[in-house]
């Protein structure tokens, strides 16, 4: 308890605040900053050395990759040229095939052209190949020469010269890359020395930093202790008057008890005032929010100062009746009372702050889901009494995840703050703006009135987002989808939120940066979706799912070498349902894992029957990132293979390119374990996602599937993008993968893929997906090339 002692007028002045002595001085801050700066500079040197080596290594890797690609492509094309020339000489092919092979060789020469401009040796070999190609074309244009004639021997010499020149080009580039490797080794040695020295200096600086912190702590603590001792001595010297009024002691005790029992601030003030009037007649205390020096009876006042912010919360004022004098030390007790009163106010404000944090979003300060639910409930109750309508706008930012992943979470927070300000500036003062989670916001409009008024609010929000927001110097254009639902007192909060959410979902499906109203059509769609969800759950439980198998053919022989298993739903009363109609729903409601396991078992069981016909055939099945990330997935695959007696090499697990970026490290670990037991891996839909060479280099794979978007184009007789198809095929061969082309629908596409070197093809031209019995029948009979259609 605070002692009720009088202050000796002759006591020494108050010592400096000991808290100030515990704070770091400017010089101490400078020393710490200098040490941290040195650590940062050393870290920067280490990073720069490592980055230089990494850049050199990456450049060398690209160079080596180019050499491998050139070797596999150029040599293969010249070998193909030699075979076509020999076929022409033997009368088995026409001059057009020789011309096509020569054109393909010229296409592969483009890799060497840039280097030919700076390397005379490469330029000389490139010219030799070109001269050989010109000579071959010239002889081919004249006509087929007789065997062993000078022209025939000259033709073979030209082909040999082209082959020799191509090998010389690649040999020269390999020599240059060996030199680059040696230079890189020197750079690595130098970087290692820099890193070792920098690490040693960093360790020394850390030790010095620890010693410096210890010295600062010890010095500041000693100074604070000395000042506290001085303060204690000053306080003890002030206890001169032992004649304390009992009333003051009782008031002081009351103050401490009230504050200690955590009473509200107003109750603390009233009780102190009451005790003062009871024990000190003629003296009245008044708690004022602001100062009132105009009071003629005012004898003095003590400020109430918040302990944390040093903000003056008010004054504790005291007045005396005529002829009444305050007892000794009254002003000191008054100061104590003011300080404890301020503590009570602080505690009350802290409680209010905790309530605010529990009901408001920490980033934007807007009401959160909890407070919104209460607000909507109250609004619906009022709307029932007033017979009015309530409107709820459900908003979701377009492409927010892409922005957040690209620019970072700090930029994402800036976007959310900007979005909340746009909402606040676009709605009425009586409307409520809340943040549910992530980039989902809600606007509640009471007394919404006509639909036009709500629509105007939605358009004002869209207009407020038209101005780009600057994030780290990059202007970003924002847009949002808005779902709008109306309700009255007969509707629950969950129903109103769900309707608005469904309307927002439809806005996203119909195109971004738009708003949609919830209506009966949407309600019907929701009911149909719910019906499909229930039917899909029953389909999984009642065995309505079927596995169909689409054959994959060797490009040259059109012999079936594999099957891809595809799920189909034979829905009672509806018929066969394609995956495009239910897979997305299955992913949303969490059924896709069960479908994946069903298809995995079906593929493993089917391959046993198919291999009884053709022992070398394999079956592929798609797996998701969730499957590969599951800790028991590899064990489940092994168990299924053992239970069916299936060889692991007969199973091909297909992963999409976009799947690889979800958790590349964890997925690579799962793929390595699968490869270790003999399962084959295929990268599906390559070229439609991120097309990173790192995945081809780092992820274990056996097959590369060219996405059908690049094969099946808008023209029935052509490849959609022959340059990309050729590049992907060359890239796959360069890293040792078998290349599979999907979506072959015309004979022209098939012939082009043969020329470009695709290993395996699949598509509707050759066969649609079949049930297991039809797949076995086709495997037994084979495909008759004469039955191929010109187009589909």
């Amino acid at each position: 308890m605070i002692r009720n002692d009088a202050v000796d007028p002759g006591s020494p002045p108050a010592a400096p605040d000991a808290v100030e002595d515990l704070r770091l001085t400017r010089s101490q801050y400078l020393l710490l900053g200098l040490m941290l700066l040195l650590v940062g500079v050393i870290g920067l040197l280490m990073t720069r050395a490592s980055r230089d080596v990494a850049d050199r290594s990456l450049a060398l890797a690209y160079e080596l990759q180019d050499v491998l690609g050139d070797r596999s492509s150029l040599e293969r094309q010249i070998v193909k040229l030699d075979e076509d020339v020999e076929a022409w000489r033997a009368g088995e092919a026409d001059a057009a095939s020789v011309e096509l092979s020569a054109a393909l060789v010229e296409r592969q020469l483009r890799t060497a052209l840039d280097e030919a401009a700076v390397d005379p040796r490469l330029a000389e070999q490139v010219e030799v190949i070109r001269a050989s190609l010109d000579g071959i074309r010239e002889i081919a244009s004249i006509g087929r020469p007789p065997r062993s004639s000078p022209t025939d021997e000259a033709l073979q010499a030209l082909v040999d010269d082209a082959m020799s020149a191509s090998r010389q080009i690649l040999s020269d580039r390999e020599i240059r890359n060996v030199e680059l490797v040696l230079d890189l080794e020197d750079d690595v040695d130098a970087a290692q020395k820099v890193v070792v020295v920098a690490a040693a200096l960093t360790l020394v600086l850390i030790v010095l930093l620890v010693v410096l912190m210890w010295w600062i702590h010890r010095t500041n603590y000693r100074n604070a202790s000395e000042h506290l001792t001085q303060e204690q001595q000053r306080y003890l010297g002030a206890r001169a008057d032992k004649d304390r009024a009992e009333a003051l002691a009782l008031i002081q005790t009351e103050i401490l008890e009230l504050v200690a029992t955590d009473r509200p601030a107003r109750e603390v003030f009233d009780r102190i005032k009451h005790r003062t009037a009871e024990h000190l007649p003629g003296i009245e205390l008044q708690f004022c929010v602001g100062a009132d020096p105009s009071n003629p009876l005012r004898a003095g006042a003590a400020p109430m100062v918040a302990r944390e912010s040093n903000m003056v919360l008010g004054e504790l004022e005291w007045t005396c009746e005529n002829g009444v004098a305050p007892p000794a030390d009254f002003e000191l007790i008054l100061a104590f009372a003011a300080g404890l009163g301020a503590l009570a106010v602080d505690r009350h404000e802290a409680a209010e702050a905790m309530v605010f944090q529990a009901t408001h979003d920490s980033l934007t300060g807007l009401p959160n889901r909890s407070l919104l639910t209460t607000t909507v409930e109250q609004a619906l109750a009022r709307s029932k009494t007033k017979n009015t309508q309530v409107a709820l706008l459900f908003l979701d930012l377009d492409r927010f995840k892409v922005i957040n992943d690209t620019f970072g979470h700090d930029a994402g927070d800036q976007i959310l703050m900007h979005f909340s300000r746009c909402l606040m500036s676009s709605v009425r003062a009586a409307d409520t703006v809340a943040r549910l989670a992530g980039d989902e916001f809600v606007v509640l409009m009471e007394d919404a009135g006509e639909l036009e008024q709500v629509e105007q609010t939605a358009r004002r929000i869209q207009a407020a987002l038209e101005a780009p927001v600057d994030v780290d110097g990059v202007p970003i254009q924002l847009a949002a989808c808005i779902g709008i639902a109306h309700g009255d007192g007969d509707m629950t909060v969950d129903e109103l939120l769900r309707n608005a959410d469904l309307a927002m979902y439809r806005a996203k499906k119909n195109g971004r940066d738009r708003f949609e109203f919830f209506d009966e059509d949407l309600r019907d769609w929701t009911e149909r979706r719910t019906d499909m969800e229930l039917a899909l759950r029953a389909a999984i439980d009642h065995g309505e799912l079927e596995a169909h198998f689409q054959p994959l053919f060797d490009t040259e022989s059109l012999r079936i070498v594999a099957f891809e298993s595809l799920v189909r739903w034979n829905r009672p009363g509806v018929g066969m349902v394609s995956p495009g109609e239910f897979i997305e729903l299955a992913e949303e409601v969490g059924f896709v894992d069960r479908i994946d396991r069903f298809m995995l078992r079906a593929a493993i069981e089917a391959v046993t029957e198919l291999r009884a016909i053709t022992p070398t055939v394999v079956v592929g099945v798609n797996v998701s990132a969730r499957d590969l990330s599951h800790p028991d997935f590899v064990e489940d695959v092994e168990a299924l293979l053992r239970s069916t007696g299936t060889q692991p090499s007969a199973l091909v697990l297909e992963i999409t390119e976009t799947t690889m970026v979800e958790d590349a490290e964890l997925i690579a670990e799962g793929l390595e374990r699968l490869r270790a037991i003999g399962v084959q891996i295929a990268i599906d839909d390559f070229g439609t996602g991120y097309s990173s060479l790192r995945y081809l280099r780092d992820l274990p794979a056996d097959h590369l599937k060219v996405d059908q978007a690049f094969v099946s184009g808008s023209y029935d007789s052509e490849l959609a993008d022959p340059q990309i198809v050729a590049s992907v095929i060359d890239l796959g061969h360069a890293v040792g993968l078998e290349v599979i082309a999907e979506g072959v629908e015309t004979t022209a596409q098939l012939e082009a893929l043969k020329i470009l070197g695709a290993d395996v093809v699949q598509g509707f031209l050759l066969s649609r997906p079949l049930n297991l019995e039809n797949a076995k029948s086709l495997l037994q009979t084979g495909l008759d090339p004469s039955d191929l259609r010109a187009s589909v």
Side-chain angles (χ1 to χ4, degrees):
M1 190 173 83
I2 302 174
R3 297 183 60 87
N4 213 359
D5 298 332
V7 179
D8 184 0
S11 60
D17 191 352
V19 176
E20 293 295 332
D21 296 316
L22 291 176
R23 296 174 179 170
L24 296 181
T25 63
R26 180 177 301 178
S27 59
Q28 291 170 348
Y29 272 119
L30 289 175
L31 283 175
L32 291 175
L34 180 59
M35 298 291 288
L36 292 175
L37 178 62
L38 290 175
V39 172
V41 171
I42 293 173
L44 181 62
L45 293 176
M46 296 172 63
T47 303
R48 184 172 181 180
S50 302
R51 184 184 62 191
D52 291 341
V53 173
D55 291 342
R56 292 287 302 278
S57 301
L58 184 62
L60 181 59
Y62 285 148
E63 183 70 21
L64 292 175
Q65 186 183 47
D66 291 341
V67 172
L68 290 175
D70 293 344
R71 176 188 296 277
S72 61
S73 302
L74 187 58
E75 286 186 356
R76 185 173 69 250
Q77 294 300 339
I78 293 182
V79 169
K80 183 67 167 57
L81 174 64
D82 187 14
E83 292 173 354
D84 291 340
V85 169
E86 182 61 30
W88 177 65
R89 292 165 60 192
E92 299 174 357
D94 55 10
S97 62
V98 175
E99 178 63 28
L100 177 59
S101 294
L104 292 175
V105 171
E106 279 192 334
R107 185 171 68 88
Q108 296 300 328
L109 280 177
R110 296 172 185 168
T111 304
L113 288 179
D114 293 340
E115 298 182 12
V118 297
D119 193 333
R121 293 178 300 176
L122 292 182
E124 181 180 351
Q125 300 304 324
V126 169
E127 290 303 321
V128 169
I129 295 175
R130 284 181 169 170
S132 299
L133 294 177
D134 293 339
I136 292 171
R137 289 195 182 97
E138 182 179 354
I139 293 174
S141 64
I142 296 173
R144 184 180 296 109
R147 284 290 189 176
S148 302
S149 66
T151 303
D152 182 69
E153 293 175 356
L155 180 62
Q156 184 61 45
L158 290 172
V159 174
D160 294 340
D161 290 344
M163 179 65 74
S164 176
S166 69
R167 291 172 178 169
Q168 184 62 39
I169 289 174
L170 298 177
S171 175
D172 290 343
R173 294 184 65 186
E174 290 178 346
I175 292 173
R176 187 183 67 183
N177 288 332
V178 169
E179 295 173 354
L180 292 175
V181 171
L182 296 176
D183 293 340
L184 180 61
E185 290 178 351
D186 295 338
D187 292 342
V188 171
D189 292 338
Q192 287 177 340
K193 294 177 181 178
V194 172
V195 170
V196 170
V197 173
L201 289 176
T202 302
L203 181 61
V204 171
L205 287 175
I206 291 174
V207 172
L208 291 177
L209 185 61
V210 172
V211 173
L212 178 60
M213 290 297 297
W214 173 82
W215 175 78
I216 290 175
H217 172 74
R218 182 175 179 182
T219 301
N220 293 357
Y221 184 81
R222 183 174 59 250
N223 294 337
S225 298
E226 291 175 357
H227 289 153
L228 284 175
T229 301
Q230 295 174 7
E231 181 69 16
Q232 183 180 16
Q233 292 174 353
R234 187 200 65 80
Y235 177 74
L236 293 176
R239 294 185 307 170
D241 189 3
K242 299 298 183 180
D243 186 14
R244 299 294 183 189
E246 184 179 0
L248 295 180
L250 291 174
I251 294 175
Q252 180 179 336
T253 303
E254 185 76 15
I255 294 172
L256 292 175
E257 289 178 354
L258 289 172
V259 174
T261 54
D262 205 17
R263 300 291 181 87
R266 175 50 57 184
E267 183 177 347
V268 173
F269 294 157
D270 291 342
R271 294 283 293 275
I272 292 175
K273 180 179 179 180
H274 175 73
R275 290 302 186 193
T276 303
E278 179 182 351
H279 296 291
L280 297 175
I283 299 177
E284 182 181 358
L285 293 181
Q286 182 66 36
F287 298 91
C288 305
V289 176
D292 186 17
S294 62
N295 188 350
L297 298 179
R298 169 171 161 158
M304 294 186 297
V305 181
R307 295 170 61 88
E308 298 293 334
S309 61
N310 289 327
M311 181 183 297
V312 177
L313 305 175
E315 283 190 341
L316 185 59
E317 182 182 275
W318 58 282
T319 58
C320 296
E321 295 181 0
N322 293 334
V324 177
D329 284 352
F330 182 77
E331 293 187 11
L332 179 61
I333 299 300
L334 191 68
F336 289 150
L340 292 174
L343 179 62
V345 174
D346 271 351
R347 187 166 50 226
H348 177 69
E349 292 180 350
E352 290 183 341
M354 291 180 63
V355 173
F356 183 86
Q357 291 175 1
T359 57
H360 289 75
D361 177 54
S362 59
L363 175 64
T364 62
L366 297 175
N368 59 15
R369 181 183 290 271
S370 174
L371 182 56
L372 175 69
T373 301
T374 303
T375 305
V376 175
E377 287 178 349
Q378 296 171 352
L380 290 174
R382 286 190 294 268
S383 70
K384 188 172 186 179
T385 302
K386 299 178 181 179
N387 194 24
T388 57
Q389 287 279 318
V390 171
L392 196 71
L393 284 71
F394 199 107
L395 303 100
D396 185 271
L397 273 173
D398 296 338
R399 300 176 60 254
F400 177 73
K401 185 178 185 303
V402 176
I403 297 173
N404 206 36
D405 293 343
T406 302
F407 296 95
H409 293 291
D410 290 340
D413 290 345
Q414 294 181 37
I415 294 294
L416 294 176
M417 289 294 294
H418 175 77
F419 186 42
S420 64
R421 289 191 294 268
C422 291
L423 292 180
M424 293 296 294
S425 64
S426 303
V427 301
R428 304 174 303 180
D431 297 337
T432 300
V433 179
R435 181 189 179 196
L436 294 187
D439 60 333
E440 294 180 346
F441 290 76
V442 167
V443 176
L444 171 65
M445 300 178 64
E446 288 194 58
D447 297 330
E450 301 295 332
L451 293 179
E452 290 77 5
Q453 184 179 7
V454 182
E455 182 175 342
Q456 289 175 3
T457 300
R459 294 192 185 280
R460 284 198 302 270
I461 293 173
Q462 290 180 327
L465 296 176
E466 290 180 354
V469 56
D470 183 87
V471 176
D472 296 333
V474 179
I476 297 178
Q477 181 65 56
L478 298 183
C481 284
I482 307 173
I484 305 172
H486 277 80
D488 52 25
D490 296 329
M491 184 175 289
T492 66
V493 176
D494 290 339
E495 289 175 340
L496 190 60
L497 277 171
R498 182 176 63 251
N499 292 347
D501 189 15
L502 289 172
M504 185 275 295
Y505 181 77
R506 182 168 67 178
K508 280 191 175 295
K509 295 285 286 186
N510 293 339
R512 302 182 183 276
D513 190 20
R514 59 185 295 129
F515 60 86
E516 295 279 352
F517 285 90
F518 181 84
D519 53 21
E520 292 303 321
D521 291 340
L522 186 55
R523 189 188 304 277
D524 293 341
W525 175 85
T526 305
E527 292 176 354
R528 290 194 302 272
R529 187 175 183 273
T530 304
D531 178 66
M532 177 171 281
E533 179 181 338
L534 295 175
L536 181 59
R537 187 188 300 271
I540 297 174
D541 296 334
H542 299 160
E544 298 172 8
L545 297 182
E546 299 179 3
H548 285 205
F549 302 88
Q550 184 174 26
L552 281 71
F553 299 84
D554 178 80
T555 307
E556 294 294 336
S557 64
L558 294 184
R559 177 177 55 86
I560 297 176
V561 295
F563 288 90
E564 180 181 1
S565 57
L566 303 168
V567 66
R568 295 292 185 269
W569 178 13
N570 191 0
R571 185 176 179 182
V574 176
M576 200 65 68
V577 182
S578 68
E581 298 182 43
F582 66 88
I583 287 297
E584 182 179 355
L585 174 61
E587 291 176 346
E588 291 180 6
V589 298
F591 294 164
V592 72
D593 290 344
R594 298 178 61 187
I595 296 176
D596 288 346
R597 294 306 172 97
F598 165 79
M599 289 302 298
L600 179 63
R601 174 178 290 276
I604 293 177
E605 293 175 348
V607 75
T608 303
E609 299 185 40
L610 294 170
R611 281 207 160 193
I613 303 172
T614 302
T616 59
V617 75
V618 297
V619 174
V621 61
N622 287 283
V623 293
S624 64
R626 184 181 300 179
D627 293 330
L628 294 171
S629 303
H630 196 282
D632 299 330
F633 180 71
V634 178
E635 288 75 9
D636 292 345
V637 172
E638 288 185 286
L640 285 172
L641 292 171
R642 284 195 303 268
S643 65
T644 57
T646 304
Q647 295 181 355
S649 59
L651 178 64
V652 180
L653 298 183
E654 300 184 5
I655 60 173
T656 61
E657 184 187 359
T658 52
T659 297
M660 296 185 290
V661 302
E662 296 185 19
D663 194 341
E665 183 176 349
L666 187 60
I667 290 175
E669 180 182 350
L671 294 180
E672 288 287 1
R673 295 173 60 194
L674 290 167
R675 282 286 298 276
I677 65 176
V679 175
Q680 299 187 55
I681 306 298
I683 300 176
D684 197 8
D685 299 339
F686 188 80
T688 61
Y690 295 83
S691 304
S692 174
L693 301 182
R694 177 170 61 86
Y695 300 127
L696 296 183
R697 182 194 64 190
D698 297 341
L699 290 180
D702 305 280
H703 313 278
L704 180 66
K705 302 189 75 172
V706 184
D707 188 77
Q708 61 182 355
F710 303 117
V711 176
S712 300
S714 57
Y715 301 101
D716 292 339
S717 60
E718 298 179 359
L719 294 177
D721 200 325
Q723 291 81 9
I724 292 181
V725 174
S727 300
V728 173
I729 292 174
D730 291 342
L731 179 62
H733 288 157
V735 295
L737 302 180
E738 180 184 68
V739 181
I740 303 170
E742 300 178 303
V744 180
E745 298 182 351
T746 67
T747 55
Q749 293 168 2
L750 178 61
E751 291 301 322
L753 291 170
K754 286 182 181 180
I755 295 174
L756 293 176
D759 302 301
V760 178
V761 291
Q762 72 178 108
F764 288 171
L765 172 69
L766 305 168
S767 175
R768 292 178 177 272
L770 308 169
N771 60 30
L772 181 58
E773 293 303 320
N774 291 336
K776 291 163 59 177
S777 176
L778 181 61
L779 186 61
Q780 289 175 332
T781 60
L783 180 68
D784 186 357
S786 62
D787 293 337
L788 293 181
R789 293 164 290 171
S791 62
V792 175

